[in-house]
Amino acid sequence: MTWVAGVDGCRAGWVVVLLEIRRSRPRAFDVLVCRRWDEVLTLRHRPTIIAVDIPIGLLDQPEPGGRCCDQAARRMLGERAGSVFSPPARAHLRATNYQQVRFKGLSIQAFGILPKIREVDRVMTPGVQSVVHEAHPELAFRALTGQPMRHNKKSPIGRLERLGALKRWFPQVPAEFHASLRRFKRRNVAPDDLLDAYALAWTGSRLLHKRATCLPPHPSRDRRGLRMEIWY
């Protein structure tokens, strides 16, 4: 029995979609919320692969457009390019006030997830990166349908669009999604958080079977030896 996980940040911490894979096919889902990243790494069903929407591998200093992988992802996503934030340079990880980094290339959206970036970066090593892979849900949805999503993920029509994309992969996903959504309070887990986690679980299954694509194909490493890459 093999498990892969798709993980997305949410207000309560991290929403995790665990996917059981038997004989190369997805079999069952388990959805849970972890308050801390450390809990994701020590789940009872220990995932062989974890695909997470969080930057892994950081520049020493900010550069226009961010890392090469960020720039490549935006080119692929077209109108959805705005969903790819340039992560902070490692020198700015300790910022506690946006004014500290406002004029250093960090968007307010990226600053909003700074605590989660710190949480993951604290435990990342090149060895851990063989299990924990940076991924992006909008790239997953693009791969599922052959084109970027047309609608914002927070809108009702955007939610239906993404559910339709996921249904191509696993027909039970819409029912699983609605059942999981009923379990969590909206102030803790938003519908788009959960949809993203399902899409990341799909990327995790592709990584497991060596069918996933890496941006860029030959990523560079940061000063800690972490690859700066995004999978889908």
Side-chain angles (χ1 to χ4, degrees), residues 44-154:
R44 179 170 62 88
H45 297 307
R46 191 66 59 87
T48 301
I49 295 290
I50 297 172
V52 59
D53 182 18
I54 206 74
I56 297 172
L58 302 173
L59 297 168
D60 283 339
Q61 297 296 329
E63 295 182 10
R67 306 166 301 172
C68 290
C69 55
D70 304 316
Q71 297 174 45
R74 291 190 197 101
R75 288 193 293 270
M76 290 193 67
L77 289 176
E79 292 184 4
R80 298 264 74 82
S83 65
V84 182
F85 307 141
S86 294
R90 180 161 279 110
H92 303 149
L93 274 184
R94 295 183 180 181
T96 56
N97 186 296
Y98 185 55
Q99 297 305 316
Q100 296 174 298
V101 291
R102 181 179 179 183
F103 301 108
K104 296 180 180 179
L106 192 66
S107 68
I108 188 66
Q109 294 92 341
F111 177 78
I113 62 170
L114 202 59
K116 283 185 165 53
I117 299 174
R118 283 196 299 262
E119 197 177 353
V120 174
D121 185 71
R122 186 175 65 247
V123 299
M124 284 303 302
T125 66
V128 173
Q129 203 175 17
S130 65
V131 174
V132 180
H133 301 264
E134 179 180 349
H136 198 287
E138 289 299 313
L139 288 173
F141 286 120
R142 184 190 184 283
L144 278 162
T145 63
Q147 60 186 4
M149 295 288 96
R150 295 177 59 193
H151 304 285
N152 188 294
K153 66 180 182 179
K154 295 184 181 295

